[in-house]
């Protein structure tokens, strides 16, 4: 058995093992050493530490009795006021449930059971007629409000405190718990919008790091975090995908103007049009094979068709795949090249020279292209951009193509030139000038890190999971513009081969037939 030196050894001689467990026992006086060990049978063991918290007694307990009597009416009034506030909040948060209950109770007291049943049947009939006449407004103003109250009552309120504690989003300080407050809940069927007020010294990054925890805790497929204002967040709990079905292309419009700052190329998950900015922007579309890059490309061309036919917009294309994509509708392009060789590089350098020449003519006259200039807005579409600037085996051609594309993307915004580049690999080794594209579209990607490469750092933590897009939903993408913090999810139009045939007929040059004169007609007869 080990021995101790010092006061404990002189008093006891041989001591239990627990006394030699740490050197701190040798520094204690003998009177305290006796209390540090406990006997269990014939064996010495360390007692378990005391983990209980000291009870906190309310301050008013220590007041004298006569002061309590005087303050009792004030306390009752305060409790009554607090109860009234709680009831008002319940009525505000659950109006669909509270209003029929109160109305039914007073109706029963006033008129009896039979009129109440008749009123209930009339309400059911009215709701059925409303659903049949206008399903959209019924869902928006009727069913979704019922669903909001149900999910708040059964999903979020009962589990909010437990989830906040286990997710380490609530903090204790000096015996007081600071817990994020659940504010407003709004259900839209496919998602729940939950507004939250953060506790002091908390940042949105802490919530973004726990998106998956929150989604699974509240039985959702995913969770997204959006900042509304300082200390206020809105959590989007996604339950289904509103973009699971293809979006049909609209009818081709008559010849006329097209808003180049708001070109509609699809629909967002909120049901609004997906508007893509071309004037004053450069667009980069990234996606793996089969992700739907062609849907984005032809949706842009489809919506620009009226302006192309009117001469306001000019399309120029390069398809290194031999025309497998752009060759489906060559009538849409003023000029198109089907390889990545010298002709494609010469076309890029020609557009770059036009950019500089037009900018020189606009010097001192205007700062941005407009319809009144009389010159067409030029859109350069490059399918498989990497074949020109990265995979081209000829180093001279590759460098020339890179310089020309960089010139167009960096200087073409003001003179009226836009580049729509489509690529599969977004790495810097492939597209070293991604920052020159102010609008970036991320279709289905292979790796999570590629999402930040395309859309920017930290976007994936805010919910832009482009690497999780299903293979069965081509055309679904996450998009982000410079200056926009929150990414947006949308789906491009589903442009079929039949639609491309219709587009080609729409844009094909008209054939002029000469009618014979009256004399020629009689001679032919």
């Amino acid at each position: 058995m080990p021995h101790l030196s010092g006061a404990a050894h002189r008093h006891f001689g041989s001591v239990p093992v627990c006394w030699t467990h740490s050197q701190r026992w040798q520094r204690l006086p003998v009177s305290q050493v006796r209390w540090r060990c406990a006997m269990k049978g014939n064996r010495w063991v360390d007692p378990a530490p005391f983990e209980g918290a000291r009870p906190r007694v309310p301050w008013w307990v220590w007041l004298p009795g006569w002061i309590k009597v005087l303050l009792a009416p004030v306390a009752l009034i305060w409790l009554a006021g607090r109860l009234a506030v709680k009831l008002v909040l319940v009525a505000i948060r659950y109006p669909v449930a509270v209003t029929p209950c109160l109305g039914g109770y007073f109706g029963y007291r006033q008129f009896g059971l039979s009129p109440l049943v008749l009123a209930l049947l009339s309400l059911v009939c009215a709701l059925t007629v409303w659903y049949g006449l206008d399903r959209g407004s019924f869902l928006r103003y009727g069913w979704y409000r019922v669903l909001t109250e149900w999910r708040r009552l059964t999903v979020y309120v009962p589990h909010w405190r437990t989830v906040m504690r286990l997710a380490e989003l609530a903090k204790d300080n000096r015996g007081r718990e600071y817990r994020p407050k659940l504010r407003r809940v709004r259900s839209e069927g496919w998602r729940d919008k939950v507004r939250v007020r953060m506790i002091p010294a908390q940042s949105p990054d802490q919530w973004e790091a726990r998106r998956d925890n929150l989604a699974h805790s509240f039985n959702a497929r995913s969770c997204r975090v959006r900042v509304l204002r300082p200390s206020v967040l809105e959590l989007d709990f996604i339950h289904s995908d509103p973009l699971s079905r293809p979006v049909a292309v609209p009818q081709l419009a008559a010849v006329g103007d097209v808003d180049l700052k708001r070109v509609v190329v699809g629909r967002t998950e909120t049901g609004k049009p997906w508007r893509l900015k071309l004037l004053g922007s450069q667009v980069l579309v990234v996606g793996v094979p089969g992700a739907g890059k062609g849907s984005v490309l032809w949706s842009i061309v489809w919506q620009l068709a009226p302006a192309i036919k009117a001469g306001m917009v000019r399309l120029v294309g390069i398809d290194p795949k031999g025309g497998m994509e752009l060759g489906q509708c060559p009538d849409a392009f003023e000029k198109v090249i089907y390889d990545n060789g010298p002709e494609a590089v010469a076309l890029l350098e020609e557009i770059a020279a036009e950019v500089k020449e037009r900018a020189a003519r606009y010097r001192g006259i205007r700062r941005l292209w407009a319809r009144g200039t009389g010159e067409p807005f030029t859109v350069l579409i490059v399918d498989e951009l990497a074949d020109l600037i990265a995979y081209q085996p000829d180093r001279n051609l590759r460098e020339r193509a890179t310089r020309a594309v960089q010139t167009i993307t960096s200087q073409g915004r003001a003179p009226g030139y836009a580049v729509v580049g489509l690529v599969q690999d977004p790495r810097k080794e492939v597209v070293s000038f991604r920052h020159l594209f102010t609008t970036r579209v991320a279709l289905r990607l292979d790796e999570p890190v590629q999402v930040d490469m395309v859309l920017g750092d930290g976007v994936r933590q805010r919910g832009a999971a482009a690497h999780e897009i299903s293979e069965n939903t081509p055309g679904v993408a996450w998009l982000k513009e410079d200056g926009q913090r929150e990414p947006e999810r949308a789906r491009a139009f589903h442009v079929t081969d039949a639609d491309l045939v219709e587009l080609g007929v729409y844009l094909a040059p008209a054939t002029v037939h000469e009618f014979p004169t009256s004399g020629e007609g009689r001679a032919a007869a």
Side-chain angles (χ1 to χ4, degrees):
M1 182 177 294
H3 297 276
L4 284 178
S5 60
H9 181 271
R10 289 194 300 271
H11 186 79
F12 290 102
S14 297
V15 296
V17 178
C18 63
W19 292 3
T20 62
H21 183 66
S22 176
Q23 295 181 359
R24 63 187 179 89
W25 296 99
Q26 301 182 14
R27 297 192 296 270
L28 294 175
V30 176
S31 60
Q32 296 187 14
V33 172
R34 295 172 180 173
W35 299 99
R36 298 294 177 176
C37 294
M39 182 68 82
K40 185 177 183 181
N42 59 353
R43 186 165 54 91
W44 293 87
V45 296
D46 289 336
F50 179 70
E51 298 180 354
R54 182 178 180 181
R56 297 176 62 88
V57 181
W59 59 270
W60 50 267
V61 173
W62 307 105
L63 295 177
W66 64 273
I67 296 182
K68 294 179 183 178
V69 173
L70 292 178
L71 294 179
V74 178
L76 291 176
I77 295 174
W78 179 80
L79 291 175
R82 185 172 182 179
L83 178 60
V85 171
K86 292 287 185 182
L87 293 176
V88 171
L89 290 178
V90 169
I92 293 175
R93 291 168 179 169
Y94 306 97
V96 178
V98 172
T99 303
C101 291
L102 291 179
Y105 173 76
F106 288 111
Y108 174 75
R109 294 292 302 272
Q110 186 72 21
F111 304 104
L113 181 61
S114 299
L116 180 62
V117 173
L118 182 61
L120 180 61
L121 294 176
S122 302
L123 177 61
V124 172
C125 294
L127 293 177
T128 304
V129 173
W130 183 13
Y131 178 82
L133 294 178
D134 192 348
R135 183 174 180 269
S137 64
F138 173 81
L139 293 176
R140 186 179 304 110
Y141 300 110
W143 172 246
Y144 289 160
R145 291 182 179 271
V146 175
L147 193 61
T148 292
E149 298 182 8
W150 174 256
R151 285 185 174 170
R152 180 186 179 95
L153 182 63
T154 61
V155 177
Y156 298 107
V157 172
H159 305 101
W160 185 257
R161 176 181 296 181
T162 302
V163 172
M164 292 300 104
R165 288 176 176 175
L166 297 181
E168 298 181 355
L169 294 173
K171 299 295 182 181
D172 290 329
N173 184 31
R174 296 182 180 181
R176 180 182 177 184
E177 183 185 41
Y178 292 86
R179 186 172 63 252
K181 294 183 179 180
L182 175 64
R183 293 299 189 187
R184 193 180 71 175
V185 177
R186 290 291 183 271
S187 179
E188 297 179 353
W190 64 277
R191 71 171 175 178
D192 294 339
K193 300 166 62 177
V194 179
R195 189 166 297 183
V196 179
R197 178 173 290 275
M198 296 186 295
I199 62 176
Q202 199 171 61
S203 68
D205 295 339
Q206 297 174 261
W207 292 78
E208 292 169 357
R210 294 167 175 81
R211 292 187 305 107
D212 294 337
N213 309 56
L214 297 173
H216 289 286
S217 299
F218 294 113
N219 300 322
R221 296 175 56 180
S222 63
C223 176
R224 304 171 194 165
V225 180
R226 292 183 290 112
V227 179
L228 298 183
R229 56 180 181 270
S231 74
V232 177
L233 301 176
E234 192 163 71
L235 308 178
D236 288 350
F237 290 100
I238 311 301
H239 299 283
S240 61
D241 187 5
L243 300 177
S244 58
R245 296 182 179 180
V247 183
V249 294
Q251 293 293 329
L252 283 170
V255 179
D257 293 342
V258 176
D259 189 354
L260 297 176
K261 291 186 177 181
R262 300 165 63 87
V263 180
V264 179
V265 296
R267 188 183 68 208
T268 65
E269 62 182 358
T270 59
K272 299 179 180 180
W274 173 12
R275 304 184 186 276
L276 194 64
K277 182 179 179 181
L278 290 180
L279 178 59
S281 177
Q282 312 294 341
V283 183
L284 178 66
V285 182
V286 185
V288 299
K293 295 189 295 295
S295 297
V296 179
L297 186 157
W298 290 115
S299 296
I300 296 174
V301 177
W302 184 276
Q303 293 297 88
L304 292 178
I308 295 173
K309 196 169 185 178
M312 189 183 72
V313 173
R314 177 181 64 149
L315 288 189
V316 180
I318 299 177
D319 186 357
K321 295 186 300 183
M324 292 294 293
E325 190 67 48
L326 302 187
Q328 301 298 319
C329 186
D331 292 327
F333 298 87
E334 181 182 88
K335 189 173 184 180
V336 60
I337 305 297
Y338 297 132
D339 60 27
N340 62 344
E343 292 185 5
V345 176
L347 178 59
L348 291 176
E349 292 177 337
E350 177 184 343
I351 299 299
E354 290 181 6
V355 168
K356 294 186 177 182
E357 188 272 336
R358 186 181 290 186
R361 286 191 287 106
Y362 286 177
R363 184 189 307 123
I365 300 176
R366 63 177 65 252
R367 300 180 62 183
L368 187 65
W369 176 91
R371 296 183 178 88
T373 59
E375 296 177 303
F377 181 81
T378 303
V379 180
L380 171 63
I381 297 179
V382 183
D383 190 22
E384 302 300 340
L385 178 63
D387 283 351
L388 286 170
I389 62 176
Y391 304 151
Q392 167 62 254
D394 190 324
R395 181 179 178 181
N396 183 36
L397 292 178
R398 185 172 65 247
E399 292 178 351
R400 288 169 56 192
T402 302
R403 287 195 299 268
V405 175
Q406 287 177 336
T407 299
I408 301 171
T409 53
S410 62
Q411 303 178 25
R413 183 186 70 87
Y417 287 81
V419 176
V420 178
L422 298 94
V423 69
Q424 297 181 19
D425 193 347
R427 291 177 300 171
K428 276 290 186 180
E429 294 81 2
V430 178
V431 187
S432 59
F433 47 91
R434 291 196 310 257
H435 59 283
L436 296 179
F437 292 91
T438 55
T439 300
R440 293 177 290 276
V441 179
L443 294 153
R444 180 167 54 88
L445 301 174
D446 285 330
E447 303 173 359
V449 67
Q450 293 180 346
V451 180
D452 291 335
M453 289 182 185
V454 179
L455 301 179
D457 294 337
V459 177
R460 180 165 53 91
Q461 282 70 25
R462 292 195 288 275
H467 60 290
E468 297 178 358
I469 297 176
S470 173
E471 297 180 359
N472 300 322
T473 56
V476 173
W478 286 90
L479 57 140
K480 185 176 180 297
E481 297 182 4
D482 284 354
Q484 173 187 351
R485 183 182 187 275
E486 303 298 336
E488 192 174 14
R489 188 169 180 266
R491 185 167 188 174
F493 293 130
H494 179 58
V495 185
T496 63
D497 293 341
D499 295 326
L500 293 180
V501 172
E502 180 184 354
L503 180 63
V505 173
Y506 177 83
L507 293 175
T511 303
V512 180
H513 299 277
E514 295 184 0
F515 291 95
T517 61
S518 57
E520 294 176 351
R522 288 192 298 269

